[in-house]
């Protein structure tokens, strides 16, 4: 009620959120700024670990969480999500010259084309802790489930290595501590552009398409409704497209 919209993010996820000197920049930062304007509020951003955003929002420490955050069934148990405003795809970064040349070198696929296990190799996978790349890789119940599910039935727990940020995962890839990094496509493109000697694996990643949305405390449906209304208006008048196109040029070689 103090007229401030408190937003939690993890500002290490370009082009959605990152630091430019002392300032926050990126798609989410600009969309949140527009939403706050519509709500007649002032936006205040806290830069926290990705994994603490949902807890911070559900306990009322922050009003919203916005961090290229994928809507998942499990997260929906803790927070409400706004309408979606962007799409992400999980992709895989490898070193140039890597023996990994296709997704088939990493995953076992089922008949529907979904990865169901990690191939029985000694490939180590780097992920950003608590993100969907981590959840899919680490939890056998959820999606890809690399744990305990190598194609020979062996345990693969130690083959997923978790890092605080995508940048740290990429540094580990460059120094050979992991063999690939699973991360959202746009940050992947930023990291590849900023680092020599790594590239995104080509291939059909349509199994890993995700919706990004803003999370709000379950008790605060009034704010959720206002955010959805603001998002609808910002979509209808082209503001959101304009912001996204500014950071992700249409000819920018989308996956
Ligand atoms: N989209 C991914 C997720 O929600 C990654 C988000 C992030 O790292 N900021 O888990």
């Amino acid at each position: 009620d103090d007229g401030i919209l408190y937003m939690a993010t993890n500002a290490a996820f370009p082009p959605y959120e990152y630091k430019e000197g002392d300032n926050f920049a990126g798609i989410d930062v600009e969309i949140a700024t527009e939403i706050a304007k519509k709500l007649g509020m002032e936006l205040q951003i806290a830069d926290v670990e990705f994994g603490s955003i949902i807890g911070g929002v559900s306990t009322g420490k922050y009003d919203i969480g916005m961090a290229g955050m994928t809507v998942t069934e499990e997260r929906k148990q803790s927070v409400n999500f706004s309408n979606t405003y962007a799409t992400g795809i999980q992709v895989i970064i490898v070193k140039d010259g890597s023996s990994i040349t296709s997704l088939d070198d990493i995953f076992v696929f089922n008949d529907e084309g979904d990865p169901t296990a990690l191939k029985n190799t000694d490939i180590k996978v780097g992920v950003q802790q608590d993100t969907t790349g981590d959840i899919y890789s680490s939890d056998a119940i959820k999606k890809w489930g690399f744990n305990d599910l190598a194609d020979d039935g062996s345990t693969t727990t130690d083959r997923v290595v978790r890092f605080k940020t995508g940048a740290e995962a990429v540094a580990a890839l460059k120094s050979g501590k992991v063999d690939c990094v699973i991360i959202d496509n746009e940050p992947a493109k930023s990291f590849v552009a900023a680092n020599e000697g790594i590239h995104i694996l080509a291939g059909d990643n349509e199994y890993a398409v995700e919706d990004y949305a803003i999370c709000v405390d379950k008790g605060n449906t009034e704010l959720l409704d206002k955010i959805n209304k603001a998002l609808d208006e910002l979509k209808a008048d082209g503001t959101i497209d304009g912001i996204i196109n500014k950071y992700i040029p249409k000819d920018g070689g989308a996956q």
Side-chain angles (χ1 to χ4, degrees), residues 9-13 16-17 28 50 53 66-72 75 81 88-90 128-136 164-166 183-184 187 210-212:
T9 196
N10 176 248
F13 199 68
Y16 291 94
E17 42 268 323
D28 289 348
F50 183 78
I53 295 174
M66 195 171 185
M69 187 180 283
T70 303
V71 179
T72 71
R75 290 174 181 167
F81 280 101
I89 308 174
Q90 296 298 309
Q128 187 189 350
Q129 194 174 304
D130 297 315
T131 64
T132 45
D134 181 15
I135 295 163
Y136 297 165
K164 287 260 158 74
T165 62
I183 195 162
D184 303 45
E210 306 177 337
D211 290 325
Y212 292 170

Side-chain angles (χ1 to χ4, degrees), residues 32-69:
T33 302
E34 294 298 328
I35 291 172
K37 247 190 241 167
K38 285 207 179 273
L39 269 50
M41 297 173 89
E42 183 199 323
L43 182 69
Q44 196 156 306
I45 300 177
D47 185 15
V48 303
E49 273 178 29
F50 183 78
S52 65
I53 295 174
I54 288 188
V57 167
S58 63
T59 55
K61 192 164 179 199
Y62 313 109
D63 299 314
I64 63 170
M66 195 171 185
M69 187 180 283

